Amino acid sequence: MDIPIKPEAALLDKSFASKKEGRDMLALSPTTNVVLTILLGFLCVLTLIPIYVIVIASITSEASLLSNGYQLWPTEFSTLAYTFLFSQGSIVITAYKNTIISTVAGTVLSVFMVGLYAYPLSRPNFKFKTFFTFFAFFTMLFGGGLVSYYMVTRQILQIQNSLWALFLPSAFSPFWVIVMRTFYQTNVPNEIIESARIDGANEWRTLFQIVMPLAIPGLATVALFSAIGIWNNFFNCLLLVDEAKYYSLQFTIYTTLNNIRFLLENADKMAGLVNISELPSQTFRMAMAVVTVGPIIFAYPFFQRYFIRGLTIGAVKG
Amino acid sequence: MVLPGAIWLLLFSYLPMPGVVLAFKTYRLVRPPADAFIQNKFIYSLIKSPWVGLDNFRYLTLPTNIDATLTYIRNTVLYNLLFMVVGLVLSVALAVMIFELTNRFLAKVYHSIFFLPFFISWIVVAYVVYALGSSQGIVNSIIAPMGLAPIEVYKEKAFWPFIFLIANIWKYTGNGSIIYLATITGIDRELYEAAAIDGAGKWKQFVHITLPHLVPVIVLLQILAVGRIFGSDFDMFYTLPNGAALVRDVTQTLDVFVYGMLRSSLPLGYPAAAAFLQSIVGFILILITNAIVRKTKPEMALF
């Protein structure tokens, strides 16, 4: 790296560059710090606005919605949408069930497959290391395209119209293989693995009892991202599912949004055919969107302590 | 150990690859005879389907279609370039700002909030766009009392580049900044101390120390991004406009276009031709970019 600094400058008297003084010397001036704190705080508020918007829309009463439209602070609140959502709505419950099952299955599968695939690639003495690294990496550069993928998944693998369609296509990722490989390399010292082998543990036992426990932050990161990826997945369902009983949550809520917008915009053309007031409640739909986000917001703090660490270590040298 | 993953890659990534030849064929479904070696209908039909050269590509450039094709290519490339540049600048800026913040606890809280949108699906964002920008939306209930004309995002093209840009920034900046933040944290503090003693201010420190350390990561991510320049964030471009036909010219990307053709009654070769452009051109661009990087800075090349 070509950094234009005089070499002797880096060899300054240690006492002068002691850690505490160093921090103080490099710290922002109090004014700048205050400005920065306020600026970032303001941006945080902006970031949270969309979440606020759907939450507030979901507790706007239907009457207030019909007379005033959506508002930042509705004239009348109502939790009816949620009551309604949980009292009936078999579509939502089926979709929820499908999404939970596929998220759990997909997450377990991806931690298993990524964790296993990346480990040998991290070991210096694995014979086919280069080949299998390339085998995974190449798929990040080139793909067969959507049409071919569609035909293969439907006509050869035949996973359409099943729960498999919702998670199998997302159950592995070359990107996470590369992150995990780096994570193993930096976090699991070779000496530990060698001493385990000398003590008589075989390859599998070493992996499950020695290596995996040390790699938990990395594996938790993979778990979190694949869980979120499958929970939020819309494309698998759009492409591979035609039967309502296998619809995922995201697909279901998208279809409902699409329907209501179409009906409302064409209300004039359909006068007499559809009575707007008989449409399934709009706040009900917003409540559905909120309920989709809910579990993520709750899971977030639990995983967060792992994934920032997992990501930073795995990604820096990746 | 690599077996489960290798099988998955074989089935979901390598198996579709030969399918790119669909772009040069007229796909016709043929039932394999009982004595045929290949019994799978798709593979058998693919082999038996006649080669038609560039006919499928010609469809995309017919006088009636050329405008649409070019518009969708333009949308895809321009949105990608916009997101690449803006995403890079904002992610680096956010990482530096969070790193410099004196209160470390607050920095963590802020970063968690900025990262949160990454976990929210585009479908939920589509609801937000609806609740804000539809004829009944919040924006209208705010601007109506001011006497301004109501807006309707699903009918007005001019809004969409901004909606996509803001949505993209909102969703990805926090996530994008993580890798830069990690790199900055790894830089030796003594470099900054030395620079500060030599009288370099924060900006000079950023240009001469932080930025050079970030360049390898930036180059790596941009090479990969170049390869995806003909692809797009399908969920975003498909769900945010919610199928609104009036704004299609500024919202449709190649991915969505290919999907639309795939699900229509058009011959399979047409979307395959468009998809072929995406995968092959993307791949070639990655190779070219990588070659250029390798010429100038060999240690930063991807392969």
Side-chain angles (χ1 to χ4, degrees):
Chain A
M1 206 66 55
D2 183 30
I3 302 159
I5 291 176
K6 285 177 243 146
E8 64 268 26
L11 301 168
L12 277 169
D13 183 17
K14 286 284 176 204
S15 68
F16 187 70
S18 83
K19 205 158 188 175
K20 193 168 176 302
E21 280 175 40
R23 180 76 214 176
D24 288 343
M25 184 173 70
L26 293 178
L28 288 174
S29 74
T31 337
T32 322
N33 190 43
V34 169
V35 171
L36 202 59
T37 308
I38 294 172
L39 173 71
L40 286 173
F42 175 69
L43 291 175
C44 276
V45 173
L46 285 184
T47 306
L48 292 174
I49 282 180
I51 299 165
Y52 170 81
V53 164
I54 48 163
V55 172
I56 215 77
S58 74
I59 51 173
T60 304
S61 86
E62 199 70 15
S64 137
L65 185 65
L66 283 176
S67 51
N68 304 322
Y70 294 104
Q71 289 167 297
L72 269 185
W73 192 255
T75 32
E76 199 188 337
F77 289 96
S78 152
T79 53
L80 202 67
Y82 289 92
T83 325
F84 185 60
L85 186 72
F86 287 110
S87 65
Q88 52 121 283
S90 65
I91 322 164
V92 185
I93 290 173
T94 312
Y96 237 100
K97 203 185 70 200
N98 291 342
T99 301
I100 291 173
I101 296 173
S102 41
T103 303
V104 171
T107 307
V108 172
L109 205 58
S110 74
V111 171
F112 173 76
M113 291 205 292
V114 171
L116 280 184
Y117 195 99
Y119 175 63
L121 304 188
S122 75
R123 302 297 314 281
N125 49 1
F126 177 51
K127 227 197 301 180
F128 306 105
K129 199 170 110 170
T130 326
F131 173 78
F132 280 107
T133 309
F134 181 77
F135 192 70
F137 181 62
F138 183 69
T139 62
M140 288 170 76
L141 307 180
F142 182 71
L146 182 66
V147 180
S148 166
Y149 177 78
Y150 177 83
M151 295 307 279
V152 166
T153 43
R154 280 192 176 242
Q155 305 280 341
I156 301 180
L157 306 176
Q158 302 192 357
I159 53 167
Q160 74 276 30
N161 295 323
S162 69
L163 286 183
W164 296 102
L166 300 182
F167 68 88
L168 214 48
S170 318
F172 190 72
S173 145
F175 172 77
W176 287 110
V177 164
I178 288 166
V179 171
M180 257 332 273
R181 183 199 60 179
T182 318
F183 194 89
Y184 284 132
Q185 279 169 351
T186 44
N187 271 38
V188 186
N190 224 356
E191 298 79 51
I192 295 186
I193 298 172
E194 272 160 20
S195 63
R197 296 306 303 276
I198 290 165
D199 289 348
N202 66 20
E203 207 53 89
W204 291 95
R205 212 176 139 195
T206 316
L207 177 63
F208 286 113
Q209 294 198 337
I210 312 288
V211 179
M212 292 266 184
L214 287 171
I216 282 177
L219 295 170
T221 311
V222 175
L224 175 80
F225 277 83
S226 61
I228 300 289
I230 297 171
W231 183 272
N232 283 342
N233 195 291
F234 166 74
F235 193 62
N236 289 343
C237 191
L238 179 73
L239 200 65
L240 298 172
V241 179
D242 319 302
E243 291 170 24
K245 62 176 173 176
Y246 298 117
Y247 281 171
S248 71
L249 202 50
Q250 302 295 340
F251 188 79
T252 309
I253 66 166
Y254 176 71
T255 328
T256 25
L257 175 65
N258 207 317
N259 291 344
I260 184 99
R261 203 184 62 76
F262 181 80
L263 288 174
L264 284 177
E265 287 190 353
N266 297 288
D268 45 335
K269 287 171 216 152
M270 287 194 261
L273 290 172
V274 187
N275 184 352
I276 291 290
S277 61
E278 278 171 17
L279 279 176
S281 128
Q282 287 201 57
T283 54
F284 168 61
R285 289 147 204 283
M286 290 295 165
M288 275 169 66
V290 173
V291 174
T292 319
V293 184
I296 299 172
I297 308 263
F298 285 120
Y300 187 66
F302 295 104
F303 275 101
Q304 210 218 6
R305 64 192 185 109
Y306 283 129
F307 71 69
I308 299 256
R309 219 176 109 208
L311 264 183
T312 46
I313 298 174
V316 171
K317 295 181 177 168
Chain B
M1 286 181 186
V2 295
L3 199 62
I7 292 173
W8 187 95
L9 285 171
L10 209 56
L11 294 179
F12 285 95
S13 297
Y14 284 92
L15 208 52
M17 282 181 194
V20 291
V21 298
L22 268 171
F24 305 99
K25 288 190 164 218
T26 296
Y27 181 77
R28 280 202 199 96
L29 194 60
V30 195
R31 190 167 287 281
D35 59 337
F37 175 63
I38 296 161
Q39 279 301 318
N40 185 285
K41 265 192 289 185
F42 169 64
I43 304 179
Y44 188 82
S45 312
L46 181 63
I47 294 168
K48 291 288 167 185
S49 294
W51 292 95
V52 290
L54 295 175
D55 276 7
N56 293 324
F57 294 90
R58 226 157 273 148
Y59 169 81
L60 298 174
T61 55
L62 284 179
T64 44
N65 301 337
I66 181 77
D67 282 351
T69 309
L70 288 179
T71 306
Y72 303 149
I73 292 178
R74 179 205 67 186
N75 289 348
T76 313
V77 172
L78 287 185
Y79 278 128
N80 271 323
L81 289 176
L82 185 67
F83 297 160
M84 269 165 77
V85 174
V86 175
L88 171 67
V89 172
L90 292 183
S91 297
V92 170
L94 182 66
V96 171
M97 286 195 286
I98 286 182
F99 183 76
E100 291 290 344
L101 215 56
T102 315
N103 185 334
R104 296 321 293 157
F105 173 74
L106 209 54
K108 259 190 193 145
V109 173
Y110 281 172
H111 200 220
S112 304
I113 293 176
F114 287 128
F115 197 13
L116 188 65
F118 184 73
F119 297 101
I120 292 172
S121 76
W122 281 122
I123 304 19
V124 172
V125 181
Y127 271 78
V128 174
V129 171
Y130 178 77
L132 282 174
S134 69
S135 49
Q136 283 193 300
I138 291 177
V139 174
N140 282 332
S141 72
I142 292 173
I143 63 172
M146 300 176 193
L148 295 167
I151 58 152
E152 166 58 296
V153 289
Y154 299 108
K155 290 180 179 152
E156 184 58 60
K157 287 180 195 174
F159 290 121
W160 285 95
F162 297 99
I163 295 177
F164 286 136
L165 182 63
I166 292 168
N168 202 274
I169 292 171
W170 178 77
K171 196 163 156 77
Y172 293 122
T173 309
N175 178 56
S177 67
I178 285 186
I179 192 162
Y180 300 119
L181 190 57
T183 315
I184 296 172
T185 315
I187 301 173
D188 192 350
R189 296 284 86 202
E190 288 189 3
L191 287 175
Y192 290 99
E193 284 159 14
I197 289 162
D198 281 359
K202 281 284 170 196
W203 175 249
K204 279 209 156 162
Q205 291 175 27
F206 172 74
V207 173
H208 294 297
I209 303 174
T210 313
L211 210 52
H213 277 90
L214 292 180
V215 165
V217 185
I218 294 174
V219 170
L220 174 84
L221 294 178
Q222 300 305 311
I223 295 177
L224 286 173
V226 164
R228 288 191 297 261
I229 204 155
F230 282 93
S232 61
D233 205 337
F234 180 90
D235 288 10
M236 175 172 84
F237 289 104
Y238 186 80
T239 60
L240 261 48
N242 221 287
L246 290 173
V247 294
R248 189 164 293 154
D249 281 357
V250 291
T251 61
Q252 185 130 305
T253 57
L254 275 174
D255 274 342
V256 183
F257 181 48
V258 169
Y259 175 78
M261 285 196 286
L262 176 65
R263 279 308 181 82
S264 68
S265 52
L266 289 172
L268 214 52
Y270 299 167
F276 178 85
L277 282 180
Q278 283 186 296
S279 28
I280 297 293
V281 178
F283 185 55
I284 292 171
L285 280 176
I286 274 206
L287 294 182
I288 293 174
T289 321
N290 190 64
I292 295 171
V293 173
R294 192 205 288 278
K295 271 262 165 60
T296 43
K297 294 257 180 198
E299 74 279 3
M300 286 184 200
L302 200 51
F303 43 85

